[in-house]
Amino acid sequence: MSDTDLQATILTLQLASVTTLCLLLICVPGAYYLARSRSVVKPFIETLVTLPLVLPPTVMGYYFLVLFSPNDGLGLWLRDTLGIELVFSFSGIWLASMIYSLPFTFRPLQSAFEQLPKDLYNAAALLGFSPCQQFRKVILPAIKPALFTAATLSFAHTIGEFGAILMIGGNIPGETQVLSLALFDHVESLDFQAAEQLALLMLAFSFSVVFACQWWQKQSAYVGYISDDQVRG
Amino acid sequence: MLNAILNTFNITESASEQRQDCRSAGTVMIDVQVSSPVSQHFSCTLRCAQVGVLLAPSGAGKTSLLNALAGLSPATGSIQVDSKGAEQIDLPAHQRRIAYVTQSPTLFGHLSIQALLNLVSAEQTNAFDVTWAVGLLNLSGVLHLRAQQLSGGQQQRVALLLAMIKGAPLLLLDEVLTGQDHTMKHACIAVIKEYLKQTNAAALMVCHQMEDALALADMAWVLKDDGSCKHWQAMPIGAGLHLYQHQLLASFQDGSNGGEGHASEFLSVVQATTLAHRTSLGLTEYRLNGQACFSVHTPHTKPGQAVSLVLKANRVGLSRKAMPDSSFVNQWLATITSTREIVWQGEQGMLIDVKLVSKDDSDAAQCNDLSVWITRLSFNQLKPAVNEPWYLISKADALSVNSLH
């Protein structure tokens, strides 16, 4: 593996970790709120959150580029007052990944929160748990499988991202060139051996993530609903 | 006849006496107004370890009242659960010192029962130790399982344990005994009684099985409807049951009853005094309005002790003459006060109210009214009429004995 490929691998892992962590921090309270909310704006928020699933990444990247271009508007203001430049930078591809992977984190969490029995909050309150303790000691442990799914899916999905990063990040080795872009570069320059390596690496990774995810979910369902005797017998 | 009973028990006086006694000890004082979904007013004073039962037909708002007391739904008024007089009504549910076993409890399904008990114990500042009750409630074998793997009855017993851990001065029980089989019902009753004794907590319960109400409660609150607002009236358990059953009967007849209860299983509660244990005969003898009365041997009653005897209407018969050569050990002289025909839910028969004749002046104050259920055929043959003297006949095992009151 060449130095640029190694750099791309490290960058990709960094991007995926930061994105996943930030997404969890945002989505846990967000999904919790939305699952319990009966507000009229709920369907709109749900649609917005789901949109990245169907929107071509290039469309999203295009709007990013226009919005954050440092020549005018918001991009200009961000650069002049806060010193942030989003286009062709790590923070740019980080923001794009956040939005691109949002539904993969948000949806499992929201459905997990919605599947909790409505009375769970009341039951916890009756046993003396304050709303904060309810969340920490009852709700979060109860949705642990969904947290795991959300984290793995968004991590894996960020690693596989291509279009949006290409649009807003360009393809700068060491700065914004992630694995999928590096693979694209190798193919463009007809270096099929290097391309093969990267492709195989990513295929193996994706396979093991999905496999682990399914295995773990089956495992936790197993423990939950079947007694030990049945398992042994 | 109803008014006669209520007057005899002299509700207002006994209630005010209680209030004075209780000031010193841990006392629960409630006076709340609930407006939705059913507008109702509930006021009660419970001594420590006292159990009250709410008697009303389904849909009358019993559960909404308990929810409001526990803080799950809004109510106005005052709830005080101890002598310090801390007002609970302004507190959110999790801060109220009220434990509540709901009708279909939600347990945390991601934990084993043992982990759940540990979690809740760790949460309380002075958790009540319930390890003694785990075995009694037959839960030792399921502590490693999760809630989803438990039967409904087991889940309810776990919920009872969890509520007890809270050690609150007021325990609310919503149909806790309904899903239990015979053995477990008695285990639950024993555990609840022991818990109340140890913690001095008071309890308010809702139940539809009148036998269960009798086994635990010593006061009843019956829902009375005066147009705009329903209010709960306090009365001794026997009178409360009687009034509630008459409400049910009335609803049989005007068709508003949703199919609750059986007229033939109408329960009567009478006050008697234990006389002696006839161990060699397997009987215990009582004095009931000066008349002899026998139940199967009940070792837990002491001679001289006042007891409540409970009889189902269909386990008592009528006879115009005494029957010396029969296996009916109980033959009490009584006067018929009313007869009425009941056709309800496939049951057809006559419900006959009687008043026991008093053969002893000291017992004259006891208002011992019973109801007897006989078939249309017996009624046509015997032609019992109001104000006639009749013998009530029953076997010893028709009586169940409550020494609680």
Side-chain angles (χ1 to χ4, degrees), chain B residues 81-99:
Chain B
V81 293
D82 53 17
S83 42
K84 290 180 211 119
E87 182 53 68
Q88 304 283 308
I89 197 108
D90 308 320
L91 299 176
H94 70 271
Q95 286 175 1
R96 291 197 186 184
R97 296 180 61 217
I98 296 173

Side-chain angles (χ1 to χ4, degrees), chain A residues 156-168:
Chain A
H157 200 254
T158 308
I159 286 189
E161 189 184 334
F162 179 78
I165 292 188
L166 185 64
M167 293 291 274
I168 196 170

Side-chain angles (χ1 to χ4, degrees), chain A residues 117 119-120 122-131 133-134 137-139 141-142 220 223-229, chain B residues 70 72 93-95 98-100 102 104 106-111 116 119-120 123-124 144-146 148-149 162-163 166:
Chain A
D119 279 349
L120 193 63
N122 277 347
L126 287 175
L127 294 173
F129 292 87
S130 69
Q133 288 169 324
Q134 283 171 32
K137 296 188 174 167
V138 182
I139 309 296
S220 54
V223 174
Y225 297 98
I226 301 173
S227 76
D228 286 0
D229 297 336
Chain B
L72 299 182
H94 70 271
Q95 286 175 1
I98 296 173
Y100 182 16
T102 52
S104 42
T106 306
L107 305 173
F108 309 158
H110 61 284
L111 291 175
L116 182 55
L119 176 72
V120 176
E123 202 52 45
Q124 313 295 333
H144 64 290
L145 300 181
R146 297 183 184 211
Q148 306 93 311
Q149 297 161 272
L162 293 175
K166 203 174 170 188

Side-chain angles (χ1 to χ4, degrees), chain B residues 365-397:
Chain B
Q366 294 283 16
C367 169
N368 281 327
D369 294 85
L370 291 102
S371 295
V372 183
W373 174 263
I374 59 173
T375 58
R376 201 97 187 65
L377 176 72
S378 307
F379 187 78
N380 290 342
Q381 286 174 350
L382 298 171
K383 298 194 174 55
V386 173
N387 287 330
E388 281 179 358
W390 282 80
Y391 280 95
L392 296 191
I393 55 172
S394 63
K395 293 161 84 165
D397 65 354

Side-chain angles (χ1 to χ4, degrees), chain A residues 10-89:
Chain A
I10 292 169
L11 188 77
T12 311
L13 290 176
Q14 273 176 348
L15 179 68
S17 318
V18 175
T19 305
T20 305
L21 203 69
C22 294
L23 271 177
L24 281 181
L25 286 177
I26 294 170
C27 289
V28 169
Y32 177 67
Y33 169 77
L34 206 63
R36 299 190 69 184
S37 146
R38 269 185 237 126
S39 152
V40 282
V41 296
K42 182 176 168 173
F44 293 101
I45 300 179
E46 279 176 329
T47 312
L48 273 180
V49 167
T50 320
L51 207 56
L53 264 184
V54 290
L55 206 64
T58 43
V59 172
M60 211 175 65
Y62 169 75
Y63 280 115
F64 256 73
L65 207 52
V66 172
L67 197 64
F68 295 120
S69 155
N71 298 328
D72 51 19
L74 184 63
L76 187 69
W77 180 81
L78 275 177
R79 193 189 62 182
D80 287 354
T81 49
L82 300 174
I84 299 173
E85 255 189 83
L86 287 177
V87 173
F88 306 130
S89 71

